[in-house]
Amino acid sequence: MEKSEILKLVGKRIKEVRESKGISQVELVGKMSGEIDPTNISRIESGRTNPTVFTLFRIAEALEISAKDLIDIS
């Protein structure tokens, strides 16, 4: 699987979970620990950037799911 495809699948998963919980991108940023630019969430969800493991962990924590569930793209 290509890197770009993995990034898009993980981004799509993040967006699906976020939307299923009725949370906007700005609200997600507000729930995350630490600093992150709201436009970075948009880039992650569209697969245009490669988030760090720590960023993925913070997103999962803010969405109240495990990081494993967040990156499970099988």
Side-chain angles (χ1 to χ4, degrees), residues 6-58:
I6 293 169
L7 293 176
K8 286 179 183 176
L9 289 172
V10 170
K12 181 180 176 185
R13 175 75 177 135
I14 292 168
K15 184 176 181 177
E16 287 172 350
V17 172
R18 179 182 58 75
E19 289 180 341
S20 75
K21 293 181 178 271
I23 300 171
S24 72
Q25 291 178 345
V26 173
E27 290 170 325
L28 176 60
V29 167
K31 295 179 91 173
M32 291 175 66
S33 60
E35 295 288 322
I36 186 168
D37 189 302
T39 58
N40 200 27
I41 295 297
S42 176
R43 288 191 298 269
I44 291 169
E45 288 185 352
S46 66
R48 293 180 291 152
T49 191
N50 188 0
T52 65
V53 171
F54 184 62
T55 298
L56 289 173
F57 174 80
R58 292 186 307 153

